Amino acid sequence: MSSNTAILSSFVEGAPPGELADVIADIKALTVSEPSVLEDLAPAFQKYNEEQFITAKLPGGSSQVIISEFSSLGEGRYFDSESQSSFEFDHSTGKASGVQSFVLEGEQASLVKSTLSTVGTYVKEHYPNAAYGAYAIENDTKVAVVIVANKYSPNNFWSGRWRSFYVYDPSSGSLEGSIKVDVHYYEDGNVRLLTDKKVNASVSGGRAADGIAREISTAEKKYQEDLNRSFTQLSEGAFKALRRQLPVTRQKIEWDKVASYRLGQDIGGGASRR
């Protein structure tokens, strides 16, 4: 990999939620004389899309399917357990095509289907705009569950993505995963929140699919409550501490008069205009 490709790959890797297309447009503008750059960046696009759980709509479909390492079939093809279909995915354009039937088979097929049902009920109740998936992994010995929720508001200069994934091991009943939140606010500045919360739980008793959904619900509810508490503490503690209680003059500012100040005259001590 050339140094230029490595640098551009790092830009792709750091693209905020929903802003990869903007990053690609900027790369095109900066590398007009090097038309092969986008082809060289294909591995970076694939890595980004799989790690971010990018979603896409299948031709003729209405629901979102997830692009991830868990759903990869290799050579640019992925599958969706719920619709039982496979498809090609263009990582630079974000478009799905070439849909084919994909029948779930194997030892974990029944658990995948039942988990899709229970997790789907949970996601639809708690997320206004989300996609989810369940996949047999590691030679059909475990089941992975993926949840991703996106919300973009470019007119208000912010975007956000919730990503969580879990791996269930039927042999031990363990459920391990991670919850990641990525929020970008860029009006008159550039502020970004990145979190990564590890989850370790145990599924026991009753139907495994019910236990998986129950443990996911418990973990994500607790994490959201923890985030809310952290934001409150920042607002009431750390952020207030950053503000100077009084200006250097030691006199309180009369904010109701600020709107009537004439820059250079009132604030400048009444000096006349020139």
Side-chain angles (χ1 to χ4, degrees), residues 51-53 147-149 161-166 177-183 193-198 220 223 227:
E51 290 183 348
Q52 292 290 322
F53 302 152
I147 299 171
V148 57
R161 174 173 295 138
W162 170 287
R163 288 175 288 158
S164 56
F165 74 91
Y166 308 87
S178 176
I179 304 172
K180 299 182 179 182
V181 176
D182 187 349
V183 179
L193 168 71
L194 291 168
T195 73
D196 188 352
K197 172 68 175 179
K198 302 300 181 184
E220 297 193 349
Y223 188 52
L227 282 178

Side-chain angles (χ1 to χ4, degrees), residues 186-199:
Y186 48 96
E187 182 178 18
D188 295 330
N190 194 13
V191 181
R192 192 169 182 184
L193 168 71
L194 291 168
T195 73
D196 188 352
K197 172 68 175 179
K198 302 300 181 184
V199 175

Side-chain angles (χ1 to χ4, degrees), residues 81-184:
S81 300
E82 189 160 34
S83 63
Q84 295 199 49
S85 58
S86 69
F87 54 92
E88 294 179 4
F89 184 75
D90 188 320
H91 289 283
S92 62
T93 64
K95 302 295 184 181
S97 62
V99 180
Q100 298 177 359
S101 175
F102 183 86
V103 179
L104 287 178
E105 297 177 335
E107 185 177 349
Q108 306 302 334
S110 177
L111 178 57
V112 167
K113 293 177 182 177
S114 57
T115 300
L116 279 171
S117 177
T118 57
V119 171
T121 299
Y122 158 72
V123 170
K124 291 170 184 176
E125 289 178 352
H126 293 84
Y127 294 90
N129 181 26
Y132 59 91
Y135 317 93
I137 62 171
E138 297 186 20
N139 296 319
D140 204 24
T141 61
K142 299 178 181 179
V143 172
V145 177
V146 174
I147 299 171
V148 57
N150 303 298
K151 197 164 187 180
Y152 312 135
S153 184
N155 291 336
N156 293 308
F157 306 100
W158 62 263
S159 62
R161 174 173 295 138
W162 170 287
R163 288 175 288 158
S164 56
F165 74 91
Y166 308 87
V167 175
Y168 173 67
D169 186 347
S171 64
S172 64
S174 65
L175 183 71
E176 299 180 353
S178 176
I179 304 172
K180 299 182 179 182
V181 176
D182 187 349
V183 179
H184 184 215

Side-chain angles (χ1 to χ4, degrees), residues 11-40:
F11 280 116
V12 172
E13 182 180 350
E19 298 177 40
L20 179 61
D22 295 330
V23 171
I24 293 176
D26 290 341
I27 291 174
K28 286 181 178 179
L30 293 170
T31 59
V32 175
S33 60
E34 301 177 71
S36 64
V37 165
L38 289 184
E39 293 181 7
D40 296 337

Side-chain angles (χ1 to χ4, degrees), residues 148-274:
V148 57
N150 303 298
K151 197 164 187 180
Y152 312 135
S153 184
N155 291 336
N156 293 308
F157 306 100
W158 62 263
S159 62
R161 174 173 295 138
W162 170 287
R163 288 175 288 158
S164 56
F165 74 91
Y166 308 87
V167 175
Y168 173 67
D169 186 347
S171 64
S172 64
S174 65
L175 183 71
E176 299 180 353
S178 176
I179 304 172
K180 299 182 179 182
V181 176
D182 187 349
V183 179
H184 184 215
Y185 180 77
Y186 48 96
E187 182 178 18
D188 295 330
N190 194 13
V191 181
R192 192 169 182 184
L193 168 71
L194 291 168
T195 73
D196 188 352
K197 172 68 175 179
K198 302 300 181 184
V199 175
N200 290 281
S202 178
V203 176
S204 60
R207 201 165 67 122
D210 293 331
I212 292 171
R214 181 174 59 252
E215 294 300 330
I216 290 175
S217 175
T218 298
E220 297 193 349
K221 178 182 178 182
K222 182 179 184 303
Y223 188 52
Q224 290 185 41
E225 291 174 346
D226 290 344
L227 282 178
N228 288 336
R229 279 193 294 270
S230 297
F231 294 150
T232 300
Q233 292 170 359
L234 280 173
S235 177
E236 297 180 353
F239 286 159
K240 280 189 176 180
L242 292 174
R243 292 179 55 190
R244 185 188 296 274
Q245 297 301 311
L246 290 174
V248 292
T249 62
R250 307 301 296 171
Q251 300 295 318
K252 289 186 177 180
I253 296 175
E254 297 184 57
W255 293 105
D256 55 337
K257 293 183 179 181
V258 168
S260 64
Y261 284 155
R262 294 196 302 274
L263 187 62
Q265 181 172 345
D266 292 343
I267 293 180
S272 61
R273 295 182 180 177
R274 294 184 180 181

Side-chain angles (χ1 to χ4, degrees), residues 37-60:
V37 165
L38 289 184
E39 293 181 7
D40 296 337
L41 291 175
F45 294 147
Q46 178 177 343
K47 180 182 178 182
Y48 177 86
N49 289 331
E50 290 184 352
E51 290 183 348
Q52 292 290 322
F53 302 152
I54 294 300
T55 59
K57 285 186 179 181
L58 298 182

